[in-house]
């Protein structure tokens, strides 16, 4: 028999960010508890800042009866001369019965002790108290708090608990609060709790009391109101999805409103205004004709017919925020960009100051500039040494997420070269999965220098990512290097870079860093892992060439006829397993007797010395050797009695293998 089950946990206002971080795990945690208690069913989870709700349209009023089977020791061990041994007694105790109640069963390897028991299902209302407590205590919001005289803690005080099965209030207690049929209205409707008789009554009364329980409905309401505002004012609202989710999480009855700030503040860089509004006030930015306007959108949680005082209050609160930002901005312009104070700012323990970090980056940049034949070397050094200077600005001290960007504005205002100030803005790119990349070679070198120093420096200091922990975002740095190399077609040979610059990093283990970097490649390239393994087995350490080889090889591996190629290369692998293919192999043409081996040699010789524009062309030419290889294997006896002929034939196959291995070790590929 099934009945509706409603669980509401009433709390004081939840902080949005910790709650949203845990939100993806909440349904899974409750589902696991249901499954553990043999009560798994469909349910919905809803939330407002003051309540967590689990709604089950059909919930079992009792667990299903079940059969429990247990197996014990072999009978020959459980009994000695017909008398139960310790093994039998221990098994009977475990099953909660006398030894005489035990049965025997043959599982195919002799008889063992066996006990079968029918377990009656427990009524759900008996289990729900413990289940709800387990669920709430499993939620991880980071920080928690204690209240009143309690010694346990939660993210916010629990103020009410409702567990209603059908029309019955299930007896339960959570943080000292007993289950009841009371809930709370929107604060601007009433501070008094309201009662309800059953789930349908609960949903109806919530709506009447100014609470939109469903987050999807609140989100749609906000977006619809924003669309109306856009049409009425001929503007464009920037819908920041993270901010939108935060606003949905902190409102029970949202209303989008448009406000205004003084035009004088538009002198600030747009990013400063947007960041200040978002971080401090949770406002959405407003644009017109592509330019930031002096309007903002605030989402109110008030339930009123007159929003004038709410708009005025938000305008009043925003002004000092922007006034502070203007003060910081003008002070920073007056002080100018200077890296001298970076000498007192520690980068990481063991790696010196931020100034010393810039010096290390400048050496990397100089090395890369020579490789990529960059002409503007003096400007490059200037950009590197100024790249972290904005860390000491008042604006970045207030809004750390604006580092690099403020350097861009201050360098531009100071009359620096466009290459320099653009590089300052782009030095941390890419900074996310779908992030933009540095726009030119100059900026790319600055960004690469930063990421390479982070990797070599932090690895030398023992700050190596473990498990899910990566506090310095080194995995993202590695991915960024790969993306820049591919975007700008830059030959970045990590092995050579480390060899050249390792003397600047004490205790740097090249092998560990290369292994870490290669592990990231398996995450970056969405291909059969053995394709990447085959390319790496070629000994290639140039990131751009690795990407070219993968792009050339992967379509062939995915083709329908690649299985035929695999069969051929297994034969190649069998022949070359006793050959040292790391050395130069030679062929004596006078020892080529068979037509098939001569054809293979001629075809391979042509492919080997032909000039190719792309890796695809070279790989395609090598794969066209398959017919000659198959004819060779079918008609040529490799293990000739003449040792010289035998060696010559093995060397021929070895040469073919070496030709492929320049691109990838095909024998590593499995499909």
């Amino acid at each position: 028999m099934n009945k509706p089950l409603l669980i509401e946990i009433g709390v004081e206002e939840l902080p949005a960010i910790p709650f949203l971080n845990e939100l993806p795990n909440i349904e899974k945690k409750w589902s696991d508890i249901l499954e553990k208690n043999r009560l798994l069913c469909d349910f919905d989870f809803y939330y407002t800042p003051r309540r967590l709700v689990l709604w089950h349209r059909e919930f079992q009023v009792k667990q299903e009866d079940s059969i429990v089977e247990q197996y014990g020791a072999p009978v020959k061990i459980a009994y000695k001369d017909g008398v139960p041994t310790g093994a039998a007694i221990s098994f009977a105790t475990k099953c909660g019965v006398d030894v005489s109640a035990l049965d025997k069963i043959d599982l195919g390897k002799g008889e063992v002790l066996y006990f079968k028991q029918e377990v009656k299902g427990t009524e759900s209302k008996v289990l729900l108290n413990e289940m709800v407590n387990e669920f709430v205590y499993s939620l991880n919001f980071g920080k928690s708090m204690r209240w009143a005289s309690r010694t346990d803690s939660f993210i916010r005080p629990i103020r009410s608990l409702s567990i209603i099965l059908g029309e019955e209030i299930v007896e339960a207690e959570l943080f000292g609060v007993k289950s009841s049929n009371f809930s709370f209205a929107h604060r601007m409707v009433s501070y008094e709790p309201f009662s309800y008789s059953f789930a349908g009554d609960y949903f109806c009364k919530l709506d009447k009391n100014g609470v939109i329980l469903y987050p999807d409905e609140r989100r749609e309401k906000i977006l619809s109101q924003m669309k109306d505002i856009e049409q009425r004012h001929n503007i464009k609202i920037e819908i920041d999805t993270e901010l939108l989710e935060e606003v949905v999480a902190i409102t029970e009855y949202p209303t989008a409103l448009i406000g205004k700030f003084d035009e004088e503040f538009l002198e600030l860089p747009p990013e400063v205004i947007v960041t200040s509004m978002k971080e401090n006030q949770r406002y959405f930015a407003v644009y017109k004709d592509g330019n930031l306007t002096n309007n903002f959108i605030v989402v109110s949680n008030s339930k009123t017919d007159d929003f004038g005082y709410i708009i005025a209050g938000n305008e009043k609160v925003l002004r000092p925020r922007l006034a502070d930002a203007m003060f910081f901005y003008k002070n920073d312009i007056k002080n100018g960009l200077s890296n001298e104070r970076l000498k007192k700012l520690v980068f990481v323990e063991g790696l010196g100051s931020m100034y010393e970090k810039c010096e290390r980056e400048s050496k990397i940049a100089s090395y890369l500039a020579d490789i990529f034949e960059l002409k503007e070397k003096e400007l490059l050094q200037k950009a590197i040494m100024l790249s972290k200077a904005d860390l000491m600005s008042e604006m970045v001290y207030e809004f750390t997420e604006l580092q690099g960007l403020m350097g861009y504005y201050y360098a531009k205002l100071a009359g620096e070269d466009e290459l320099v100030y653009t590089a300052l803005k782009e030095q941390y790119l890419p900074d996310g999965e779908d992030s933009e990349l540095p726009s030119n070679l100059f900026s790319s070198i600055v960004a690469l220098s930063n990421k390479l120093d982070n990797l070599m420096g932090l690895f030398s200091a023992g700050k190596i990512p473990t498990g899910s922990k990566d506090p310095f975002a080194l995995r993202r740095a590695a991915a960024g290097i790969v993306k820049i190399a591919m975007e700008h077609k830059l030959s970045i040979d990590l092995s050579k870079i480390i060899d050249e610059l390792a003397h600047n990093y004490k205790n740097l283990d090249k092998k560990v860093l290369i292994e870490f970097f290669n592990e990231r490649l398996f995450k970056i390239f969405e291909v059969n892992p053995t394709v990447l393994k085959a390319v790496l087995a070629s000994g290639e350490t140039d990131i751009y060439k690795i990407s070219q080889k993968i792009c050339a090889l992967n379509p062939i591996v995915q083709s329908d006829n690649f299985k035929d190629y695999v069969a051929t290369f297994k034969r190649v692998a069998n022949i070359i397993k006793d050959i040292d293919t790391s050395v130069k192999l030679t062929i004596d043409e006078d020892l080529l007797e068979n037509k098939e081996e001569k054809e293979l040699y001629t075809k391979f010789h042509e492919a080997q010395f032909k000039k190719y524009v792309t890796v695809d062309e070279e790989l395609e030419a090598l794969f066209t050797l398959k017919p000659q290889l198959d004819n060779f294997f079918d008609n040529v006896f490799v293990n000739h009695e003449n040792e010289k002929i035998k060696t010559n034939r093995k060397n021929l196959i070895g040469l073919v293998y070496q030709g492929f291995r320049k691109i990838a070790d095909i024998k590593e590929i499995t499909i």
Side-chain angles (χ1 to χ4, degrees):
M1 181 179 177
N2 296 331
K3 290 183 178 180
L5 171 66
L6 173 71
I7 300 171
E8 186 201 61
I9 301 157
V11 295
E12 291 191 4
E13 273 81 354
L14 294 166
I17 300 302
F19 171 74
L20 291 172
N21 288 339
E22 177 66 357
L23 181 59
N25 308 315
I26 290 178
E27 290 189 25
K28 175 69 165 56
K29 288 183 175 181
W30 179 242
S31 181
D32 288 345
I33 291 170
L34 290 174
E35 185 173 17
K36 185 174 74 173
N37 287 274
R38 308 203 315 276
L39 292 168
L40 186 61
C41 63
D42 293 333
F43 66 92
D44 293 304
F45 172 69
Y46 306 121
Y47 62 89
T48 77
R50 299 174 62 212
R51 70 202 78 229
L52 307 175
V53 176
L54 295 160
W55 165 234
H56 315 70
R57 287 173 177 79
E58 294 187 343
F59 193 80
Q60 294 171 225
V61 297
K62 186 175 81 72
Q63 292 174 324
E64 296 285 346
D65 296 340
S66 62
I67 301 296
V68 176
E69 294 180 291
Q70 298 185 70
Y71 303 92
V75 172
K76 60 183 178 182
I77 295 175
Y79 296 92
K80 191 173 180 67
D81 299 327
V83 178
T85 66
I89 295 169
S90 176
F91 181 63
T93 302
K94 177 184 175 183
C95 297
V97 296
D98 188 76
V99 174
S100 60
L102 299 177
D103 289 325
K104 303 169 187 176
I105 189 171
D106 192 339
L107 298 176
K109 294 184 179 180
E111 287 188 324
V112 297
L113 294 180
Y114 173 70
F115 183 71
K116 179 180 178 181
Q117 181 182 25
E118 183 177 348
V119 179
K120 294 291 184 183
T122 305
E123 287 191 358
S124 301
K125 63 183 180 181
V126 175
L127 300 169
L128 280 167
N129 179 42
E130 185 176 336
M131 290 169 63
V132 170
N133 273 268
E134 182 183 351
F135 167 67
V136 171
Y137 279 98
S138 75
L139 300 179
N140 180 14
F141 298 106
K143 293 182 179 180
S144 60
M145 62 180 290
R146 297 191 182 103
W147 61 95
S149 59
R150 301 199 63 81
T151 56
D152 45 12
S153 62
F154 192 56
I155 186 172
R156 286 293 184 269
I158 304 289
R159 294 308 186 199
S160 66
L161 173 66
S162 294
I163 304 178
I164 310 293
L165 184 59
E167 297 183 11
E168 180 183 358
I169 302 172
V170 177
E171 287 189 20
E173 185 175 326
L174 178 66
F175 287 91
V177 178
K178 295 184 183 298
S179 180
S180 69
N181 62 334
F182 291 96
S183 186
F184 287 91
H186 190 289
R187 291 195 192 278
M188 294 189 72
V189 173
S190 174
Y191 282 99
E192 296 300 318
F194 64 85
S195 64
Y196 55 94
S197 304
F198 55 94
D201 191 26
Y202 166 81
F203 290 117
C204 181
K205 286 186 175 177
L206 262 190
D207 187 57
K208 289 180 179 178
N209 282 277
V211 176
I212 300 175
L213 176 62
Y214 315 111
D216 288 346
E217 187 178 333
R218 297 198 300 276
R219 186 182 301 106
E220 285 305 313
K221 186 174 188 285
I222 293 167
L223 291 172
S224 176
Q225 291 171 341
M226 286 184 172
K227 189 172 182 180
D228 288 342
I229 291 172
E230 285 181 327
Q231 292 173 348
R232 279 190 281 115
H233 295 272
N234 191 28
I235 56 174
K236 182 68 178 175
I237 301 169
E238 182 181 53
I239 308 298
D240 184 307
T241 53
E242 288 184 3
L243 179 57
L244 177 62
E245 293 310 307
E246 190 176 346
V247 169
V248 167
I250 62 173
T251 55
E252 290 191 321
Y253 195 87
T255 304
L257 307 167
I258 186 167
K260 183 180 288 188
F261 59 85
D262 294 341
E263 282 192 46
E264 64 184 89
F265 293 120
L266 290 176
E267 180 186 339
L268 287 165
E271 296 88 349
V272 171
I273 298 173
V274 172
T275 302
S276 180
M277 291 196 301
K278 176 184 175 182
E279 297 297 321
N280 293 322
Q281 305 301 137
R282 298 190 179 99
Y283 296 162
F284 294 84
V286 175
Y287 294 82
K288 187 166 187 175
D289 300 326
N291 297 314
L292 185 70
T293 71
N294 63 321
N295 291 111
F296 64 88
I297 302 297
V298 58
V299 178
S300 168
N301 190 36
S302 299
K303 198 167 191 309
T304 179
D305 294 326
D306 180 12
F307 287 99
Y309 71 96
I310 293 173
I311 295 171
N314 280 277
E315 290 176 341
K316 184 178 179 180
V317 169
L318 180 57
R319 180 176 175 80
R321 295 287 191 183
L322 295 181
D324 286 345
M326 183 68 84
F327 176 77
F328 299 147
Y329 183 60
K330 291 188 173 179
N331 265 3
D332 288 339
I333 293 172
K334 182 176 65 177
N335 295 330
L337 275 181
S338 171
N339 58 20
E340 277 301 307
R341 287 193 294 164
L342 293 176
K343 293 177 179 179
K344 295 181 180 180
L345 180 63
V346 175
F347 170 45
V348 171
E349 186 178 351
L351 293 174
S353 67
M354 288 301 299
Y355 187 90
E356 290 171 302
K357 174 175 172 55
C358 290
E359 289 183 317
R360 290 194 303 270
E361 289 184 20
S362 72
K363 293 173 183 176
I364 299 172
S366 179
Y367 175 74
L368 295 177
D370 288 338
I371 293 175
F372 304 138
E373 300 179 351
L374 183 77
K375 296 177 181 178
E376 300 86 357
K377 292 183 180 180
E378 287 187 17
L379 281 179
L380 181 64
Q381 291 301 310
K382 186 170 191 177
I384 291 286
M385 294 309 295
L386 284 177
S387 62
K388 310 297 183 294
D390 68 350
L391 294 176
M392 305 308 297
S393 68
E394 294 183 43
M395 190 68 78
V396 172
Y397 183 83
E398 180 72 13
F399 301 113
T400 56
E401 60 267 51
L402 295 180
Q403 58 185 284
L405 187 63
M406 295 316 301
Y408 159 79
Y409 281 111
Y410 297 148
K412 188 175 183 180
L413 286 169
E416 296 291 352
D417 189 281
E418 183 179 359
L419 283 173
V420 173
Y421 60 71
T422 301
L424 299 194
K425 180 172 66 173
E426 298 179 347
Q427 63 180 300
Y428 299 112
L429 298 180
D431 56 5
E433 189 68 30
D434 301 314
S435 166
E436 294 180 3
L437 294 165
S439 58
N440 55 54
L441 176 60
F442 189 96
S443 291
S444 294
I445 292 177
V446 174
L448 287 168
S449 300
N450 176 56
K451 291 170 173 55
L452 287 166
D453 178 70
N454 285 347
L455 285 165
M456 290 189 285
L458 291 162
F459 265 72
S460 70
K463 310 291 184 182
I464 302 172
T466 56
S468 61
K469 295 181 179 179
D470 186 11
F472 298 99
L474 295 183
R475 294 187 178 103
R476 190 169 68 194
I481 292 170
V482 176
K483 290 177 180 179
I484 292 172
M486 292 172 64
E487 173 70 15
H488 293 285
K489 299 179 173 56
L490 302 177
S491 292
I492 300 172
D493 192 321
L494 189 62
S495 180
K496 289 181 180 178
I497 290 172
I498 294 174
D499 288 340
E500 183 70 24
L501 300 166
H503 62 275
N504 296 318
Y505 305 90
K506 294 180 180 179
N507 305 317
L508 176 59
D509 189 325
K510 174 183 175 180
K511 182 181 177 184
V512 172
L513 179 51
I514 293 291
E515 286 177 355
F516 167 82
F517 203 92
N518 287 346
E519 285 174 10
R520 301 318 305 156
L521 297 179
F522 284 96
K523 301 289 184 181
I524 295 166
F525 292 103
E526 296 179 357
V527 296
N528 178 336
T530 62
V531 171
L532 175 55
K533 185 179 178 183
V535 171
L536 293 176
S538 72
E540 186 62 75
T541 54
D542 184 312
I543 295 165
Y544 178 58
K545 289 181 180 177
I546 288 172
S547 69
Q548 284 185 304
K549 291 178 178 182
I550 290 172
C551 291
L553 181 58
N554 193 54
I556 296 173
V557 174
Q558 291 181 321
S559 65
D560 294 335
N561 58 354
F562 187 70
K563 287 183 179 179
D564 296 333
Y565 289 116
V566 170
T568 299
F569 279 98
K570 279 184 178 178
R571 301 176 79 176
V572 170
N574 286 333
I575 288 176
I576 60 98
K577 63 185 177 182
D578 297 326
I579 302 174
D580 183 2
T581 54
S582 64
V583 300
K584 184 178 180 180
L585 301 176
T586 57
I587 298 294
D588 186 342
E589 294 185 52
D590 293 335
L591 295 177
L592 299 174
E593 296 182 339
N594 296 57
K595 178 184 73 172
E596 289 80 10
E597 63 180 325
K598 290 178 181 178
E599 287 178 352
L600 176 59
Y601 175 73
T602 301
K603 186 77 172 177
F604 173 71
H605 193 269
E606 290 173 1
Q608 187 181 30
F609 290 99
K610 185 178 177 181
K611 290 187 177 181
Y612 301 99
V613 177
T614 65
V615 178
D616 303 63
E617 291 179 4
E618 184 175 2
L619 197 57
E620 185 179 349
L622 288 169
F623 271 108
T624 59
L625 294 173
K626 184 183 184 306
Q628 286 75 27
L629 280 168
D630 288 339
N631 286 336
F632 177 91
F633 290 133
D634 292 341
N635 298 290
V636 177
F637 182 62
V638 176
N639 292 317
H640 197 280
E641 59 185 17
N642 184 319
E643 197 64 32
K644 289 184 178 180
I645 294 176
K646 174 183 175 181
T647 300
N648 205 54
R649 289 175 175 174
K650 283 192 172 186
N651 282 357
L652 176 56
I653 299 301
L655 278 174
V656 174
Y657 169 74
Q658 285 180 334
F660 274 97
R661 197 182 62 181
K662 284 194 303 181
I663 299 172
D665 193 342
I666 307 298
K667 72 178 190 303
E668 296 288 345
I669 298 176
T670 56
I671 56 172

